[in-house]
């Protein structure tokens, strides 16, 4: 009973307050926002009504701050971009670990890893988002093991960077 509907007047008022905070920082010269856990800000949201909030934010940004950029850590570019984000960090799926994190990951000098699962997931998402927004593949952040951890040499790191910079978005 303590949870309110996404369109309850109190929730709508909170959304406006949140947009005012975004406006404050954009007016101060902020170039945009990275939103951690963007798809899970609302508890028990099987219909993903949170997307209405982000679509509203995007509309406000497009109208008043057209050069500002909104990137999510949703890890589902299809949902994130449809919710209004310009880009999404795609890393919370098992194919990502196959590239960088597993002991036998694809980007290891030993060459024991397999990129197939990653490519299957990536190109499925790419088909949904191409021309609408961007898929971002982080090579490390506060939630992930840094790519330098483990047995990586300079050549491994260079190849990872080339892959990250040339992956279609």
């Amino acid at each position: 009973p303590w949870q309110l509907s996404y369109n309850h007047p109190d929730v709508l008022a909170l959304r406006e307050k949140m947009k005012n905070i975004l406006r404050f920082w954009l007016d101060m010269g902020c170039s945009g926002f990275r939103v951690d856990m963007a798809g899970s800000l609302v508890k028990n949201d099987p219909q993903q009504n949170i997307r209405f909030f982000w679509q509203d934010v995007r509309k406000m940004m497009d109208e008043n701050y057209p050069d500002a950029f909104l990137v999510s850590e949703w890890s589902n570019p299809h949902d994130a971009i449809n919710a209004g984000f310009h880009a999404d960090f795609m890393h919370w799926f098992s194919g990502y670990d196959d590239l960088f994190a597993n002991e036998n990951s694809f980007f290891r000098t030993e060459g024991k890893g397999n990129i197939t699962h990653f490519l299957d997931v990536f190109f499925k998402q790419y088909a949904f988002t191409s021309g609408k927004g961007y898929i971002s593949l982080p090579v490390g952040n506060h939630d992930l093991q840094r790519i330098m951890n483990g047995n990586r040499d300079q050549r491994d790191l260079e190849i990872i960077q080339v892959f990250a910079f040339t992956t279609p978005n």
Side-chain angles (χ1 to χ4, degrees), residues 96 100 137-141 144-148 160-161 163-164:
Y96 183 88
F100 306 116
L137 295 174
V139 292
N141 74 10
L144 303 170
Q145 177 182 1
R146 305 291 179 183
I147 61 169
M148 189 58 185
I160 289 169
Q161 290 298 334
F163 175 80

Side-chain angles (χ1 to χ4, degrees), residues 78-97:
H78 176 260
D79 288 348
I81 291 168
N82 284 332
F85 286 88
H86 294 93
D88 181 46
F89 289 117
M90 185 175 149
H91 58 71
W92 291 119
F93 68 98
S94 61
Y96 183 88
D97 289 343

Side-chain angles (χ1 to χ4, degrees), residues 108-168:
R108 294 261 183 219
T109 305
E110 300 82 17
K112 295 179 183 177
N114 187 332
I115 197 170
T116 305
H117 180 64
F118 168 80
L119 292 175
D120 290 343
V121 174
F122 178 86
F123 282 115
K124 181 178 180 186
Q125 290 290 322
Y126 182 72
F128 290 134
T129 60
S130 181
K132 299 174 189 171
Y134 302 97
I135 297 173
S136 178
L137 295 174
V139 292
N141 74 10
H142 64 277
D143 293 321
L144 303 170
Q145 177 182 1
R146 305 291 179 183
I147 61 169
M148 189 58 185
N149 290 351
N151 282 336
R152 286 215 176 18
D153 61 23
Q154 186 63 30
R155 187 167 188 277
D156 291 340
L157 297 174
E158 290 170 359
I159 290 170
I160 289 169
Q161 290 298 334
V162 168
F163 175 80
F165 290 135
T166 59
T167 302

Side-chain angles (χ1 to χ4, degrees), residues 1 11 19-20 32 38 43 49 65 73 80 103 120 127 134-135 143 157 164:
V11 172
K19 287 188 341 189
N20 286 340
K43 300 270 187 219
N49 290 310
Y65 309 93
E73 188 182 51
E103 183 177 325
D120 290 343
Y134 302 97
I135 297 173
D143 293 321
L157 297 174

